Amino acid sequence: MKTLKLIFLLTTMVSPEALSSDNFYFEHLNTSIVNYSAKIKTCNSLKKVPTLSESQISTLKKQLEEKPLILAFLSERSFNKCLQPERGQLAELLASYNYLKLPNKTKNLAETTKKMIFEKSYETDRSYLSLTPTEKSRSTP
């Protein structure tokens, strides 16, 4: 019974616009962004420099001289793995928002978020994918 009274009080104090689906979409996106931001902080705190042997360092130096973007690719891939599942959930939410009629404030937040988080250059990917399987196995510690 207390729960019903609390719900009644909340619904009478909040405007009908705030309870609309438009507000739901904005709040849902905002919550997803907050969760993703928290995960970024967690992943940043977990970063560490690996301990490599002299031969591994030598191999890595040779590869980086030939294709310097490999390290950037591997670093980005590792960071993105850490960001899961929050990164994937945010991406799915943003993709689903393409199919909804949203108010401008939600649409603007979604578009800005997409550009900031998911817009990227694929030069690092191209560099890594051009490696042979042997080179790829040597570049991953």
Side-chain angles (χ1 to χ4, degrees):
M1 195 68 171
K2 268 188 172 178
T3 306
L4 289 176
K5 285 182 184 178
L6 181 60
I7 291 172
F8 176 74
L9 282 173
L10 289 173
T11 56
T12 57
M13 292 171 50
V14 178
S15 70
E17 296 83 36
L19 294 174
S20 72
S21 63
D22 294 347
N23 195 49
F24 168 79
Y25 293 121
F26 185 86
E27 290 299 323
H28 190 48
L29 177 55
N30 190 54
T31 299
S32 187
I33 292 168
V34 168
N35 292 341
Y36 179 69
S37 297
K39 189 65 174 258
I40 288 173
K41 288 179 185 175
T42 299
C43 292
N44 278 331
S45 72
L46 297 173
K47 286 182 180 179
K48 61 182 179 179
V49 178
T51 305
L52 301 174
S53 68
E54 288 298 321
S55 66
Q56 288 174 316
I57 291 171
S58 176
T59 301
L60 189 57
K61 279 183 181 179
K62 287 177 191 172
Q63 286 182 327
L64 292 176
E65 286 172 3
E66 295 170 19
K67 298 186 180 183
L69 297 177
I70 294 168
L71 190 57
F73 173 85
L74 293 172
S75 177
E76 183 180 1
R77 183 175 70 179
S78 175
F79 195 64
N80 283 338
K81 281 182 182 179
C82 179
L83 291 172
Q84 298 306 322
E86 289 81 356
R87 182 177 171 85
Q89 291 168 344
L90 180 57
E92 287 176 12
L93 183 62
L94 290 170
S96 72
Y97 277 21
N98 287 334
Y99 302 100
L100 299 172
K101 186 172 178 150
L102 300 169
N104 283 337
K105 72 174 186 173
T106 306
K107 193 181 304 182
N108 290 341
L109 180 59
E111 289 302 316
T112 302
T113 302
K114 274 191 254 185
K115 286 179 183 172
M116 285 176 42
I117 297 173
F118 297 106
E119 204 170 89
K120 70 176 232 164
S121 164
Y122 287 92
E123 290 305 311
T124 57
D125 297 47
R126 183 179 303 154
S127 181
Y128 182 78
L129 295 173
S130 70
L131 297 175
T132 65
T134 304
E135 290 171 321
K136 284 180 186 175
S137 69
R138 285 191 312 221
S139 65
T140 307

